[in-house]
Amino acid sequence: MNGTQMDRTQTSSNGKQPEKKENIAKKKQPKKNKFGKWVRSLIPHYATNRQVLGFLYLSTWIKFPPKIIRTHHGKNMEKLLAASQAKAGEPGAFYQPHTYIENQSEWKDIEFGITDMAYAGCEIMATYNARLSLGEEMAAQEMAELIQSFERRGAVLGGIFGTAPAAIYKYFRSNGYRAEMATGTSEEEVNELGERCGTVIITFFNNRDDIMAQVHTVNVSREQGGYACHNARLAGEGGNICGSLAEVVRRVSNGKAKLICVIGIDPKQGTEDTAV
């Protein structure tokens, strides 16, 4: 028996074999992981949807100076125009006008608040896609103006947590659209709103058990084949087309999502309301 074997089998003075340090560490680790998972699940499990929405909206108190907003608008407009003039598939062609945005990760050069659109632009992209799904012509100018609008009112903590869903709802209402917001999560209520409105925007926790997986917002348009989810991949078969809005909710984020709210939008009813 060599020295290493002697160390592994050596007994203590009370006759019990001492545990190796790595075994002790392994025993302690599960308790630590269990507590961490519990902490990360607190908000998705116990905060109501209204509480989450209220917190996000109250966190839009940080306002950007008009000069910064104008600077961002100018830079973003220049980059979006350059991208739109490149051929689809070529380097730099991350944005194509009159087309649904499905590639958020490629938008790192477009500024939003203190961050960028790749990190925190999903709500703005969902708004853009929703307007496109209602039949509007959407190009670089419309996207640059949307970013500018939500920098003025709607960016959560300077944009690091994206845009407050309540600000999206207010944006549509103040610009002449008919819009309604629901925080109920029953499939019947979700499907009813999806069938009643021309297009919808849904906001959800990416993981119902882990707040660190963050929140995502997408547009779901009504198509002849069903409901098409934009800027997100759906689990299971059928691609990004579903038979109902509730099915979209079940399939986003690999089936781990928890719905926070649904905003239903119909086309503009008039021009008497003041634009933001």
Side-chain angles (χ1 to χ4, degrees), residues 43 47 113 148 165 179 261 271:
I43 293 177
Q148 182 182 58
C261 70
T271 58

Side-chain angles (χ1 to χ4, degrees), residues 51-103:
Q51 288 172 336
V52 173
L53 293 170
F55 167 78
L56 292 173
Y57 191 66
L58 289 174
S59 299
T60 64
W61 60 270
I62 297 177
K63 304 300 180 185
F64 296 99
K67 184 178 180 181
I68 291 179
I69 295 175
R70 288 195 300 269
T71 299
H72 285 178
H73 180 269
K75 290 181 178 179
N76 289 339
M77 188 68 186
E78 182 180 347
K79 293 174 183 177
L80 288 166
L81 283 173
S84 66
Q85 291 167 3
K87 291 183 179 180
E90 292 183 352
F94 66 91
Y95 170 74
Q96 295 295 300
H98 320 303
T99 303
Y100 287 111
I101 298 172
E102 311 279 7
N103 60 338

Side-chain angles (χ1 to χ4, degrees), residues 116-176:
D116 57 67
M117 289 287 286
Y119 181 78
C122 62
E123 288 83 13
I124 300 176
M125 293 175 181
T127 303
Y128 179 100
N129 286 342
R131 288 180 55 185
L132 185 66
S133 72
L134 292 174
E136 298 184 40
E137 292 290 319
M138 301 298 289
Q141 181 176 344
E142 283 71 31
M143 173 51 83
E145 289 176 353
L146 277 176
I147 297 171
Q148 182 182 58
S149 176
F150 287 119
E151 282 185 331
R152 287 175 178 158
R153 51 179 72 88
V156 179
L157 297 180
I160 58 174
F161 289 160
T163 301
I168 297 174
Y169 169 75
K170 290 177 180 291
Y171 167 84
F172 280 108
R173 289 294 296 266
S174 63
N175 279 281

